[in-house]
Amino acid sequence: MNEGTYGLETLKVDYHTILGYDIGYVTAESYPLFAPYRAKDKQTFSGRAPRLLSIIITTLVNTPSREWNAETRTLTIGEDFFYLANKCGLNSGGDGRTTVRDRLLMLTEIQFTDMDGNKIIPVSHTDISPDFLTVEHRRITFTEQFVRMMTRNVRQLPLKCLYPNAGSAIGIDLLVLSALYCPENHRLIIERDDLPSLLPASSQSLSTQSLLKRFKELNDSQTEWTYRMTKYSVTISPFGVYSSEDAVRLRRKNRS
């Protein structure tokens, strides 16, 4: 603390307090849409909660948080985690406590194969137990491989975009696709035939009527990207970019 004139003083504060967690972080390698997580009992690590947890954890790992120890690769779940959960629209109180606990426990049981064919185990150790009502002050230690996946090619996702769309898994996925792949000042184009291979949603969710409804909700709730649809394609553009000669097409590499 430094004292000055006029009764003013300066106080040392944590960087995360100044940052306020207005920006989240995502990577293509670790986000559940791209990493094909599967639990041992064939139950999928899917739905809105795992997606939001992925964004929360990746944000804490890439931010000067008091709860992330980079040397031990250990996350202690505390104030920052729950603050981010609130900012992301993930209910972590009341009945939501057991949802957070159960999904974090599922993350400890999951294995998946990365793009190079290597087996990835995200978590090496945790003291979270099914007997605990809350995960507050519990610890999760991630493997070195998974931490690398969460810290390579990191992209920003404004949390103000996420909160109003956190109730929809496909809405979250579209925002993450935008953050990861939509180039600055250019359009991102996805052909309608490619959507099922990119978004793990039901055919009903990818119908014209459902997509138009989802795009309206996205366009009405945020000003980072604009979502449009034609008969044959979906277009994502940075807000204010209505046309550009250099558009980028997104599709799965292994699509025949």
Side-chain angles (χ1 to χ4, degrees), residues 167-223:
S168 163
I170 191 172
I172 300 169
D173 288 343
L174 286 166
L175 286 169
V176 170
L177 282 176
S178 305
L180 290 172
Y181 297 108
C182 188
E184 186 177 356
N185 298 324
H186 297 295
R187 295 172 297 151
L188 179 70
I189 296 176
I190 305 173
E191 293 190 2
R192 294 283 298 274
D193 289 343
D194 290 327
L195 279 176
S197 68
L198 290 170
L199 299 174
S202 66
S203 56
Q204 181 178 357
S205 297
L206 296 179
S207 67
T208 298
Q209 183 177 359
S210 295
L211 285 174
L212 286 173
K213 178 182 177 182
R214 183 64 55 206
F215 288 179
K216 184 178 187 307
E217 292 173 351
L218 286 166
N219 290 332
D220 288 347
S221 64
Q222 52 82 44
T223 55

Side-chain angles (χ1 to χ4, degrees), residues 75-96:
L75 178 67
T76 301
I77 298 175
E79 180 182 344
D80 289 2
F81 178 93
F82 291 111
Y83 179 81
L84 265 175
N86 181 60
K87 292 279 285 189
C88 291
L90 177 63
N91 178 19
S92 57
D95 294 339

Side-chain angles (χ1 to χ4, degrees), residues 81-110:
F81 178 93
F82 291 111
Y83 179 81
L84 265 175
N86 181 60
K87 292 279 285 189
C88 291
L90 177 63
N91 178 19
S92 57
D95 294 339
R97 291 180 297 183
T98 56
T99 298
V100 171
R101 179 202 62 197
D102 292 346
R103 293 303 178 270
L104 288 174
L105 281 172
M106 187 180 293
L107 181 61
T108 68
E109 302 174 353
I110 283 170

Side-chain angles (χ1 to χ4, degrees), residues 50-68:
R51 286 162 164 78
L52 295 174
L53 283 171
S54 172
I55 296 169
I56 292 167
I57 293 170
T58 304
T59 299
L60 291 170
V61 168
N62 287 282
T63 305
S65 168
R66 298 171 298 182
E67 296 169 12
W68 171 246

Side-chain angles (χ1 to χ4, degrees), residues 181-183 186-192 194-195 198 228 230 232-237 244-251:
Y181 297 108
C182 188
H186 297 295
R187 295 172 297 151
L188 179 70
I189 296 176
I190 305 173
E191 293 190 2
R192 294 283 298 274
D194 290 327
L195 279 176
L198 290 170
R228 302 182 182 88
T230 68
Y232 299 107
S233 67
V234 165
T235 301
I236 303 172
S237 306
S244 61
E245 295 180 0
D246 298 326
V248 177
R249 179 185 172 190
L250 180 66
R251 67 176 185 180

